[in-house]
Amino acid sequence: MTEPTAIRSPSPTSAPGVPAGAAGADAATEAALRAAEPCLWLNPLLSPRMPASVPAGTRHISLADVEAAQARFDRFAPLLVRLFPELAASQGAIDSALIATPTMQRMLEVDASTGRLWIKADHSLPIAGSIKARGGIHEVLEFAEKVARDAGLLAEGDDYSRLAEPDARALFGRYQVAVGSTGNLGLSIGVMASALGFRAAVHMSADAKEWKKTRLRARGVEVVEHAGDYQQAVAAGRAQAQQDPYCHFVDDERSLSLMLGYSAAALGLDAQLREQGLRPDATRPLFVYLPCGVGGAPAGIAFGLKQLYGPHVHCFFAEPTQSPCFLVQMLGAEISGTGGNPSVYDYGLTNRTEADGLAVPRASELAAGAMRELLSGVYTVADDTLFRHLFQLQAAEGLQIEPSAAAGFSGPAMLTGTDAGRAYLERHGLTDSMPQAVHLVWTTGGLFVPESEYRNFLDRGAALAAR
Ligand SMILES: *Cc1c(COP(=O)(O)O)cnc(C)c1O
């Protein structure tokens, strides 16, 4: 494995040909980004304190918003059990296991003296089979709640399972829920919307996998195919929805409801960490590695965790080397203060990656704004590494994930095995507490990947691991 390029920024030098937003990025940043080489970038704006609230579009969000999202999930739990028998065991809760993965840790050659490797197993989340079960379902539930309340069908304190009755379903049937997606968000929104009785439409980009389209169509969801990339699919869906007052468009790039749905994961994780005696504090740092597409999911979760643990949690986003949209966004914001909304194409990158859940050319400005002072850093991963880790996780722990979900596994070595990573640990006074550290890799999808597709992933990973 080649040593990842270490990056520090900002630097006063400006390189010719860099987009305006990144005018001050140092030469190493630009070189690694443009060459699509794995690198670690550390956020110089990371705040030592946790602000009580952070900007999120038109307003500020705080812990109360995280709790409100969780309360909404709780209100809907009786209805969800009725609609999805697979939720009976969890009484309607949509959450995943926290799993210790010592064998995988050995395969990754991350020494136990630098902490323990755990997985937050969102690859097995029910209903959607990915992290999108959190944000996507939350937004559909929030919309359903509003429609039902406005129609006088729900009063304060009502049992929400009444929304499975014919009158509520007839009401929902008048509305359409639409979304633009590379696949997983469409699966989550489409399945939940149609289960409630809404009409559902999913605008898909050219890189969306065929099996995801097939699965949606089998659920009665309308799949609209677009020739362009993810962002073009979103724009087309947004434009179409604006024509129709009975259409609710789930806007992956701008939705606060999505982000807050993701943020509620922090509360569930907190209970699990307490159970294991692993709640982070001054002597037990928590490092979280979150695969990042547009940024809503990882930003929501990072926001929730920072609210709970402040300086004791360190959140890193992971992106494919060809699609580091959040990294270019953070670089732009850091240099100019505003930075605009640069794309990975501006850096000569292709946005082509097998990690289809992360194949996003431009970050969500909502997510980037919220992360400005909370995010520890961003690192990039080559596709080959994703496949190797996907294979190793199957071999070590028998867990099935998709390529996007493997992006987190490069994190611990990026932090503990590179100069930039070690500098971060030193700067934050963490060196002595590393033996107690928890490295939490968020595995974000995989449950519903068809057998034949997963075989291909494994074969590719096995060949790389054998080298
Ligand atoms: C969507 C997705 C992500 C990232 O979520 P964003 O909100 O797009 O950043 C990560 N992993 C998988 C598998 C996904 O589907």
Side-chain angles (χ1 to χ4, degrees), residues 119-133:
I119 286 177
K120 180 61 178 161
D122 274 11
H123 65 277
S124 64
L125 276 182
I127 302 175
S130 81
I131 193 169
K132 301 296 194 306

Side-chain angles (χ1 to χ4, degrees), residues 141-369:
L141 297 183
E142 184 167 2
F143 179 62
E145 192 171 45
K146 180 175 187 314
V147 168
R149 279 193 179 151
D150 288 352
L153 276 186
L154 266 187
E156 210 67 44
D158 271 1
D159 180 343
Y160 277 35
S161 35
R162 104 160 259 354
L163 296 180
E165 302 298 328
D167 59 342
R169 296 188 67 82
L171 171 68
F172 292 153
R174 281 192 241 144
Y175 292 84
Q176 185 183 58
V177 177
V179 65
S181 170
T182 59
N184 283 342
L185 184 61
L187 278 181
S188 152
I189 301 279
V191 170
M192 181 51 69
S194 66
L196 286 168
F198 290 112
R199 289 173 292 124
V202 177
H203 297 263
M204 288 219 165
S205 47
D207 50 3
K209 302 276 187 213
E210 206 51 47
W211 69 267
K212 293 183 181 175
K213 298 176 192 167
T214 308
R215 195 178 168 91
L216 281 170
R217 290 192 176 111
R219 293 261 183 174
V221 175
E222 183 194 349
V223 176
V224 188
E225 298 183 67
H226 296 276
D229 67 13
Y230 153 85
Q231 200 167 26
Q232 290 165 309
V234 172
R238 190 188 285 138
Q240 197 168 317
Q242 269 162 1
Q243 312 287 317
D244 181 357
Y246 283 88
C247 180
H248 177 77
F249 183 67
V250 176
D251 199 323
D252 198 14
E253 296 175 320
R254 303 176 186 174
S255 167
L256 189 55
S257 181
L258 272 181
M259 210 165 94
L260 291 172
Y262 293 119
S263 77
L267 301 172
L269 176 64
D270 184 49
Q272 291 172 325
L273 288 171
R274 284 170 192 269
E275 224 168 83
Q276 300 290 340
L278 293 176
R279 199 166 193 274
D281 58 30
T283 60
R284 190 187 355 260
L286 172 63
F287 300 92
V288 187
Y289 307 100
L290 295 149
C292 175
V294 72
I301 291 170
F303 171 71
L305 291 173
K306 287 301 263 188
Q307 286 290 335
L308 296 180
Y309 307 135
H312 307 314
V313 63
H314 307 267
C315 300
F316 291 87
F317 289 2
E319 300 193 297
T321 48
Q322 288 292 352
S323 302
C325 67
F326 213 84
L327 175 50
V328 304
Q329 177 71 33
M330 294 298 277
L331 280 171
E334 166 207 319
I335 281 48
S336 67
T338 54
N341 195 202
S343 90
V344 301
Y345 305 127
D346 297 337
Y347 284 80
L349 299 171
T350 62
N351 191 35
R352 267 193 224 113
T353 167
E354 286 294 319
D356 56 340
L358 314 181
V360 175
R362 230 179 270 270
S364 156
E365 291 182 273
L366 174 76

Side-chain angles (χ1 to χ4, degrees), residues 77-97:
L79 175 66
L80 294 181
V81 170
R82 199 162 149 183
L83 296 176
F84 298 95
E86 66 264 42
L87 294 182
S90 68
Q91 298 175 335
I94 302 168
D95 204 355
S96 69

